[in-house]
Amino acid sequence: MRLILAPMEGVIDAGMRALLTQIGGLDRCVTEFVRVSDRLLPPRVFHRLCPELRQGGRTPAGVPVFLQLLGGQAQPMADNAVRAAELGAPGIDINFGCPAKTVNRSDGGAVLLREPLRVGSIAAAVRRAVPANIPVTAKIRLGFEDRSPFLDNVRALADAGVDELAIHARTRSDGYKPPAWWDEIARAVELVDFPVIANGEIWSPDDSHRARAASRCEDLMLGRGVLCRPDLPRLVRAAANGVDTPALDWLDIAELLQGFAQQKRLECAERHAAGPVKQWLGYLRHYYPQAAALFADIKRLNDPQTICTVIRNHTPARVQARAVAA
């Protein structure tokens, strides 16, 4: 079984990838999408979204990071895939699943699922352009308005020569509303001879077991569940192996959050440093009640130093001591 960290625009950046892969359990990450229009992008665009390119395309924990491209024109997608490979990306992922209206109106993401021939054309162009030793993967949903073109898109990607396919088990119209239709993914598994990866509504080890059984997929892609429970990949892997491993408690989470807040103070302009901390707390509070109390105290704050102070006030003595020592 492989566990892959899903790309989430504006949420899972290089810093979050470093933090989550350090906890353990993940086999691969995928970047936020690089938006491709009609031209070859400069290297700085790739390095901005995937700074891991300067470290062999891996997080500090050694987990490979595939670079994701999003666009509706085959040749520019192929040209930029070549550049990404030249810069050191260990794999290229193609985004056919983004449900955002602004992206879909700009001829990118899930809207392309209306046209399986275009999906296949884009993927084939990328596969032909990229050296054979570099995997080309794709991510799709079950469809745009409905599921009718689902298998046509799967066939088109298989004919294009992709190496793997991740499937979010909902249509674009479904958005992120539960349930995820994992059993639909099994229809794709029957058609292709390469790995299919199931994605959607995996919040716990029990969910992972049910998703694998229903989808008939060996591998899973985890997204929002990992932000709510940062050790979810480790717990899923342990459960699959029949191993009992303790979950992170709030003391552990507070320690991670303290480091994350300090990191953002260093990385971001002062006016932007608070946003990622609040955003992550917004996810954490769905699982940890202590995170909800902390979020309530910082949601109107914008000064990063003040936010760090409030976090320390909510942080158990064990974590405070470690922060001071650092």
Side-chain angles (χ1 to χ4, degrees), residues 74-146:
Q75 193 56 52
M77 287 284 284
D79 293 342
N80 282 280
V82 170
R83 171 149 288 176
E86 291 171 347
L87 292 171
I92 307 297
D93 187 68
I94 308 173
N95 183 324
F96 295 116
C98 180
K101 291 181 181 180
T102 54
V103 170
N104 295 162
R105 284 196 294 263
S106 300
D107 198 36
V111 72
L112 296 171
L113 297 176
R114 290 171 163 176
E115 303 176 72
L117 290 178
R118 286 185 69 199
V119 166
S121 174
I122 292 167
V126 171
R127 179 65 282 177
R128 286 193 301 267
V130 172
N133 65 310
I134 296 179
V136 172
T137 63
K139 185 176 183 192
I140 66 172
R141 284 176 171 251
L142 299 179
F144 192 75
E145 296 96 344
D146 56 56

Side-chain angles (χ1 to χ4, degrees), residues 150-168:
F150 173 48
L151 294 184
D152 289 336
N153 282 305
V154 172
R155 292 188 188 96
L157 290 165
D159 291 344
V162 301
D163 296 281
E164 295 178 4
L165 176 61
I167 302 176
H168 185 123

Side-chain angles (χ1 to χ4, degrees), residues 35-57:
R35 184 68 169 101
V36 175
S37 54
D38 59 354
R39 65 196 66 186
L40 181 62
L41 296 167
R44 58 181 169 79
V45 174
F46 297 88
H47 285 129
R48 177 172 56 85
L49 288 171
C50 188
E52 295 98 338
L53 291 172
R54 301 187 187 279
Q55 285 78 45

Side-chain angles (χ1 to χ4, degrees), residues 182 202 204-215 220 236 239-240:
W182 298 319
I202 301 171
S204 68
D206 285 346
D207 290 339
S208 72
H209 176 76
R210 293 187 296 110
R212 292 177 72 204
S215 68
L220 301 174
V236 167

